[in-house]
């Protein structure tokens, strides 16, 4: 049987399902007798004892996480708050536990402090564990997990994640979570293939997890097993073979140097990007810093992350994209209302210009971080040159403000734009005169050129960056950038696709930004191409392309 979820951590994993049961406990209010406090105390003791034992068998960060749960569970104020409710309301312990933990979690959530907000998630995790124990359940014992398991859970909580022994697990599957969830982050940092959005898997089922396309095969046939084993082996061989390109210059045979950058979204990605041999960061999707929380990150919080990126990459560029929300990226507390056509609505630069307090806070944080490395500012979704001019004026005003306050920053910080609307692409010549650099966002550019919602399955077959209309615009934008002598990059998915590499470089694109895993492969292609030949072939045929097949023929011939 084949199930389709969303791949959030790449690779292929095979093994037997190890299902971590989640016990749903009724915490509604009920009348209760005098034994409730004793029942609560016993359960707390069991929980602390269980966590202590687990922590003793673990090391480092994993042991620390469980230790912090023990500490929280031993807090006398928390416990007396729970007991007070039981006593004054003569109610069941479950209700009291749920009420107090939720109150604490809310305080953490409201604090605005990143660490405290993470604790809000921990509170829910600890609460569920305590409620389970109060109802006679045991906490999952991952130490009994056999080798070559696929861990399956409704949600990957911190207490489960802390107990994962990566040498026993070949993959992760959860029902809840998304590409930016805890689960995805943990899976990627452990290098485990992972898929979210899959339920209904039985303990012991034989599984194949394909973290690249979100596919899960349950109880595969011999033929399927053989096919995926071969795919896995091939993937391993390919990754191994590409290692020889680590540390080598990304230059064509005729000497054109191309910058290969990484796309990042989370603080944890900064170090991973460097480890992937990225020569800088070409797209820092800062909206992730605004997600999974209930207030906007403060200037200090943002500054700390941008500074870390700047310091990690030293003299190499870090291109920070200002907040790109709206469209399919909703953030409740930012006050974005449902719109008829969100992708055509109040998103990205449009939102930021209207909400200057949010925009100025972010720009100040970026400017301050620019004192620590080579930061560039990139504006998303620009469609009208006035948006660029308005933002540059705002940046100039903020520079004055920061100078007055005694802050250091890079006075010559580059301000560039994403080319992802047809308007900006068509007028690239005019934009290039007022912009320090371009980066083509092929994901949105394709969506807007083709008039296809990039998330709508019904029209998905029309969404292709191989459409000649997209190729022609890329060519045009790169040429206009060249004419004005400003660098032009590509940071949409096309930048990571090996089939696209020669075309982009041949058009005159000088920087490609992609997921870290693609860097060595793209470098291997650049090092085997001759720019002059490729450029000539493109110029000879770009205007003749009529359909996707024509584009693919050209890309394959390059
Ligand atoms: C793009 O549109 O190509 C892009 C890189 O931005 P995002 O995918 O974040 O919209
Ligand atoms: Mg975009």
């Amino acid at each position: 049987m084949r199930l389709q979820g969303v791949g959030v951590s790449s690779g292929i994993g095979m093994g037997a399902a190890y299902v971590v049961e989640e016990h749903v406990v009724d915490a509604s209010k009920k009348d209760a007798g005098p034994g409730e406090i004793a029942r609560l105390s016993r359960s707390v003791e069991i929980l602390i004892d269980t966590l202590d034992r687990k922590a003793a068998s673990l090391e480092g960060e994993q042991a620390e996480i469980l230790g912090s749960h023990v500490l929280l569970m031993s807090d006398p104020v928390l416990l007396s708050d729970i007991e007070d409710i039981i006593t004054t309301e003569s109610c069941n312990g479950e209700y009291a536990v749920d009420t107090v933990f939720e109150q604490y979690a809310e305080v953490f959530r409201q604090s605005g402090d990143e660490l405290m907000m993470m604790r809000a998630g921990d509170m829910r995790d600890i609460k569920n564990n305590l409620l389970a124990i109060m109802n006679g359940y045991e906490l999952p014992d991952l130490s009994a997990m056999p080798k070559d398991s696929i861990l399956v859970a409704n949600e990957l909580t911190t207490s489960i994640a802390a107990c994962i022994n990566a040498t026993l697990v070949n993959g992760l599957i959860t029902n809840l979570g998304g590409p930016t969830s805890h689960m995805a982050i943990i899976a990627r940092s452990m290098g485990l293939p992972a898929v979210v959005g899959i339920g209904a898997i039985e303990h012991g089922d034989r599984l194949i997890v394909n973290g690249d396309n979100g596919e899960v095969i349950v109880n595969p046939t011999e033929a399927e097993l053989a096919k995926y084993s071969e795919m896995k082996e091939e993937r391993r061989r390919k990754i191994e073979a590409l290692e020889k390109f680590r540390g080598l210059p990304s230059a064509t045979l005729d000497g054109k140097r191309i910058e290969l950058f990484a796309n990042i979204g989370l603080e944890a990605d900064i170090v991973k990007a460097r480890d992937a041999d990225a020569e800088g960061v070409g797209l820092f999707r800062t909206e992730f810093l605004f997600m999974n929380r209930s207030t906007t990150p403060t200037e200090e919080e943002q500054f700390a992350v941008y500074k870390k990126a700047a310091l990690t990459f030293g003299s190499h560029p870090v291109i920070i994209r200002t907040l790109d929300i709206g469209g399919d990226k909703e953030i409740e507390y930012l006050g974005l209302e449902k719109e008829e056509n969100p992708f055509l609505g109040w998103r990205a630069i449009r939102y930021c210009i209207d909400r200057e307090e949010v925009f100025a806070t972010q720009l100040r944080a970026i400017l301050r971080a620019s004192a620590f490395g080579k930061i560039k500012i990139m504006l998303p979704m620009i469609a009208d040159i006035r948006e660029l001019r308005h933002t540059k004026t705002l940046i100039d005003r903020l520079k004055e403000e920061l100078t007055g306050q005694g802050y250091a920053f890079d006075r010559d910080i580059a301000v560039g734009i994403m080319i992802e609307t047809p308007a900006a692409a068509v007028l690239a010549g005019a934009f290039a005169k007022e912009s320090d650099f371009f980066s083509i966002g092929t994901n949105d550019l394709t969506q807007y050129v083709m008039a296809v919602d990039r998330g709508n399955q019904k029209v998905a077959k029309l969404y292709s960056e191989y459409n000649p209309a997209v190729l022609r615009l890329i060519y045009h934008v790169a040429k206009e950038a060249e004419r004005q002598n400003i660098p032009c990059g590509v940071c949409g998915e096309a930048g990571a696709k090996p089939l696209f590499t020669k075309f982009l470089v041949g058009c005159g694109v000088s920087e490609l930004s992609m997921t870290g895993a693609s860097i060595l492969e793209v470098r291997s292609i650049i090092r085997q191409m001759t720019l002059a030949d490729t450029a000539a072939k493109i110029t000879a045929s770009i205007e003749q392309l009529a359909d996707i097949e024509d584009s693919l023929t050209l890309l394959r011939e390059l």
Side-chain angles (χ1 to χ4, degrees), residues 79 123 129 136 144 151 259 295 302 347 361 399 403 423 499:
L79 293 173
M123 289 301 283
N129 284 340
L151 183 76
E259 292 175 296
T295 51
Q302 293 188 60
R347 70 171 282 210
T361 302
K399 282 182 178 173
T403 306
L499 185 57

Side-chain angles (χ1 to χ4, degrees), residues 132-152:
I133 288 175
M134 288 175 80
N135 285 269
Y137 298 116
E138 286 183 10
L139 298 192
D141 180 10
L142 299 196
S143 67
M145 183 185 285
K147 195 165 165 24
D148 293 328
S149 291
I150 304 287
L151 183 76
V152 180

Side-chain angles (χ1 to χ4, degrees), residues 327 342-345 347 350 381 420-422 441-454 463:
F343 278 115
L344 304 181
R347 70 171 282 210
R350 304 168 181 188
M381 262 293 281
E420 48 185 354
T421 66
T442 50
N443 308 340
D444 275 316
L445 186 62
T446 305
Q447 147 165 283
Y448 294 125
V449 167
M450 296 308 299
V452 169
D453 177 340
R454 70 197 235 195
Y463 180 96

Side-chain angles (χ1 to χ4, degrees), residues 302-335:
Q302 293 188 60
F303 167 66
V305 180
Y306 305 151
K307 176 179 164 187
K308 180 172 170 186
L311 288 173
T312 305
F313 281 92
S315 60
H316 297 276
V318 173
I319 302 179
I320 301 183
R321 177 173 77 183
T322 57
L323 184 60
D324 180 3
I325 34 89
D328 58 345
K329 298 169 194 149
E330 284 178 38
I331 300 180
E332 226 171 82
Y333 63 81
L334 289 179

Side-chain angles (χ1 to χ4, degrees), residues 138-261:
E138 286 183 10
L139 298 192
D141 180 10
L142 299 196
S143 67
M145 183 185 285
K147 195 165 165 24
D148 293 328
S149 291
I150 304 287
L151 183 76
V152 180
N154 182 43
E155 184 179 8
L156 194 71
T157 61
T158 32
S159 60
I160 297 176
C163 296
I164 294 178
N165 177 345
T167 61
L168 303 179
V169 183
N170 290 350
L172 300 172
I173 298 177
T174 60
N175 188 15
L176 302 180
T180 62
S181 64
H182 237 115
M183 137 78 161
I185 299 162
I186 291 165
R188 286 197 289 262
S189 71
M190 288 186 165
L192 292 172
V195 171
V196 300
I198 301 271
I201 285 182
E202 303 281 334
H203 195 76
D205 274 346
R206 307 289 314 165
L207 299 175
I208 299 175
V209 182
N210 188 344
D212 295 312
N213 64 7
E215 200 174 50
V216 171
I217 315 263
V218 184
N219 297 323
T221 60
E222 284 302 317
E224 283 170 327
L225 268 178
K227 177 181 143 198
Y228 280 89
S229 301
E230 179 48 36
M231 272 166 70
K232 193 172 165 195
E233 182 50 24
E234 205 179 298
R235 195 172 185 277
R236 196 195 56 74
R237 278 196 301 261
K238 192 170 149 191
I239 292 172
E240 202 177 83
L242 287 170
E243 273 304 308
K244 65 172 181 284
F245 293 99
R246 186 174 288 276
L248 295 184
S250 310
T252 63
L253 291 171
D254 45 349
K256 166 86 188 231
R257 192 68 191 242
I258 306 296
E259 292 175 296
L260 291 191
F261 290 169

Side-chain angles (χ1 to χ4, degrees), residues 342-356:
F343 278 115
L344 304 181
W346 201 39
R347 70 171 282 210
I349 193 73
R350 304 168 181 188
Y351 174 92
C352 285
I353 287 177
D354 291 347
R355 295 287 304 273
E356 196 172 288

